Amino acid sequence: MTKQINETFLKAARGEKTDHVPVWFMRQAGRSQPEYREIKEKYSLFEITHQPELCAYVTRLPVEQYNVDAAILYKDIMTPLPAIGMQVEIKSGIGPVIDNPITSLADVEKLGELHPEEDVSYVLDTIKLLTQEQLSVPLIGFSGAPFTLASYMIEGGPSKNYNKTKAFMYSEPKAWFALMEKLADMIITYVKSQIKAGAKAIQIFDSWVGALNVEDYRYFIKPVMNRIFTELKEENVPLIMFGVGASHLAIEWNDLPIDVVGLDWRLPILQAREMGIQKTVQGNLDPALLLAPWEVIEERAKAILDQGMAQGGYIFNLGHGVFPSVNPATLKKLTSFIHEYSASKLSR
């Protein structure tokens, strides 16, 4: 039997009025939680995400502990890549490493297609378990965006400067655009399967696209993002766009057929509004502040909430993910504060 769902997050994403500001935290499930660290002593990331019961537990734990208004599926952005032919390994202390990086158009043409029911059935089973039996808040599904996925596929792993990725983009435009289309096909198929399984909203993470300037974004990336979101719009679930260090691109995202513009901590909400962003915004407390004294956290959270509530259409989040040394009690206290402070303001 499906539980009654708290729809505050979905209403805010659609720009509707809410009784309080909804909140969830990127990386709310993971290494900051002692329960998770205990699981990680026995299982790898790969093993956790391939066991629906275990993955569902990790996903719902922060909802139960912090009382946040949404859950985000616990998995890695690299999850669909092995199915299309990339040899991915998550290496401890490094991140995703790819043994067969893309270097040419021929490599792009060799990439296969994603068949979610066969290739990532464990992801869909986890979503069904959560949405049909366990959660009382909406589940956010997600995917990496083409540039960010391409950066791993071309660099062969994490990068600080994306030089190889940009060089490929500038010197092999035909191969680049072919890769963008292949990844768009995969992302659309992958996300639609998550929605069909029960995800009620989708966040597209373009974590590293801030490495590009506006001109290059408009030419090399924006057309494929437009295609992805136009096709996903048909699914009638809120669509969120997020990247780090990409404040200069936020106004470009505002043009895309999305519902929510995710902001990192560098761009104040007020400034985003002044730039012309009229959609719902999500963000944007600097995660580093979570290690500050409570008085400082409260003061900064209050300032962000005031800016967010000034126009409505607002979801509280961090400007990037929770990191391992954050105390779970801080996140619980912050969630309560956001709910209570915003409810008192919105009821006036």
Side-chain angles (χ1 to χ4, degrees):
M1 191 176 124
T2 308
K3 284 187 175 184
Q4 184 65 32
I5 295 288
N6 157 15
E7 293 211 333
T8 310
F9 162 77
L10 296 176
K11 285 180 178 173
R14 294 190 292 255
E16 296 167 16
K17 282 190 176 172
T18 58
D19 295 333
H20 66 264
V21 167
V23 51
W24 67 280
F25 304 110
M26 286 180 277
R27 291 204 197 119
Q28 62 188 15
R31 293 171 297 170
S32 60
Q33 299 173 293
E35 298 88 343
Y36 175 83
R37 290 197 295 270
E38 209 173 291
I39 290 167
K40 265 314 256 336
E41 284 172 17
K42 297 180 200 161
Y43 303 100
S44 67
L45 171 70
F46 180 88
E47 288 165 334
I48 295 169
T49 55
H50 282 67
Q51 295 180 55
E53 290 280 353
L54 190 57
C55 192
Y57 169 72
V58 169
T59 299
R60 75 173 192 271
L61 191 62
V63 179
E64 293 165 359
Q65 288 186 338
Y66 309 146
N67 195 30
V68 287
D69 296 279
I72 184 158
L73 188 62
Y74 179 78
K75 64 182 175 66
D76 192 84
I77 65 166
M78 310 306 279
T79 299
L81 292 185
I84 65 166
M86 301 307 295
Q87 291 159 21
V88 182
E89 192 186 341
I90 309 291
K91 290 197 174 169
S92 183
I94 301 172
V97 174
I98 288 178
D99 291 336
N100 57 335
I102 299 281
T103 59
S104 66
L105 180 60
D107 291 340
V108 175
E109 286 169 346
K110 275 187 225 154
L111 294 172
E113 290 180 1
L114 179 73
H115 302 283
E117 298 289 347
E118 294 100 67
D119 298 325
V120 289
S121 58
Y122 53 92
V123 171
L124 309 183
D125 290 343
T126 305
I127 294 172
K128 288 171 190 167
L129 196 57
L130 284 160
T131 56
Q132 291 171 17
E133 297 175 27
Q134 298 180 353
L135 287 176
S136 55
V137 297
L139 177 68
I140 303 166
F142 73 87
S143 171
F147 178 84
T148 292
L149 293 174
S151 77
Y152 287 107
M153 293 164 77
I154 294 165
E155 304 278 345
S159 170
K160 285 193 165 62
N161 49 39
Y162 310 98
N163 288 340
K164 276 189 196 172
T165 309
K166 290 180 177 184
F168 187 80
M169 188 177 80
Y170 296 135
S171 56
E172 302 275 355
K174 188 180 174 190
W176 176 263
F177 286 114
L179 178 57
M180 292 297 98
E181 292 307 319
K182 285 259 188 182
L183 288 172
D185 292 342
M186 182 197 80
I187 291 162
I188 291 161
T189 301
Y190 185 40
V191 167
K192 284 188 174 183
S193 73
Q194 291 181 50
I195 296 166
K196 190 181 171 191
K200 292 284 184 284
I202 295 294
Q203 180 152 311
I204 301 294
F205 285 87
D206 213 346
S207 307
W208 315 132
V209 77
L212 297 182
N213 66 32
V214 173
E215 188 184 352
D216 285 342
Y217 183 83
R218 283 179 186 158
Y219 183 73
F220 290 106
I221 307 296
K222 200 170 181 181
V224 78
M225 298 309 296
N226 205 34
R227 182 196 151 201
I228 290 167
F229 285 122
T230 300
E231 293 203 32
L232 294 181
K233 201 76 185 149
E234 298 163 7
E235 302 295 313
N236 288 319
V237 304
L239 303 171
I240 310 164
M241 180 74 216
F242 177 74
V244 187
S247 300
H248 58 298
L249 302 177
I251 195 69
E252 300 299 318
W253 299 343
N254 192 60
D255 295 342
L256 296 169
I258 61 173
D259 302 278
V260 182
V261 176
L263 303 175
D264 80 357
W265 69 92
R266 296 169 178 89
L267 179 65
I269 293 166
L270 210 55
Q271 202 179 320
R273 292 299 191 202
E274 285 164 1
M275 282 164 60
I277 293 171
Q278 297 304 315
K279 296 180 191 284
T280 292
V281 294
Q282 176 178 281
N284 65 342
L285 185 76
D286 185 341
L289 279 162
L290 296 172
L291 298 184
W294 172 253
E295 303 72 49
V296 178
I297 298 172
E298 186 179 303
E299 182 194 344
R300 295 297 188 95
K302 205 180 273 190
I304 288 169
L305 283 162
D306 288 343
Q307 289 187 36
M309 290 187 289
Q311 189 172 313
Y314 175 58
I315 298 159
F316 191 98
N317 207 312
L318 303 175
H320 200 194
V322 175
F323 51 92
S325 51
V326 171
N327 186 338
T330 304
L331 293 174
K332 186 174 184 178
K333 192 173 182 179
L334 179 57
T335 304
S336 295
F337 172 74
I338 291 158
H339 286 161
E340 288 159 20
Y341 179 75
S342 63
S344 71
K345 289 276 187 175
L346 293 170
S347 63
R348 287 177 190 173

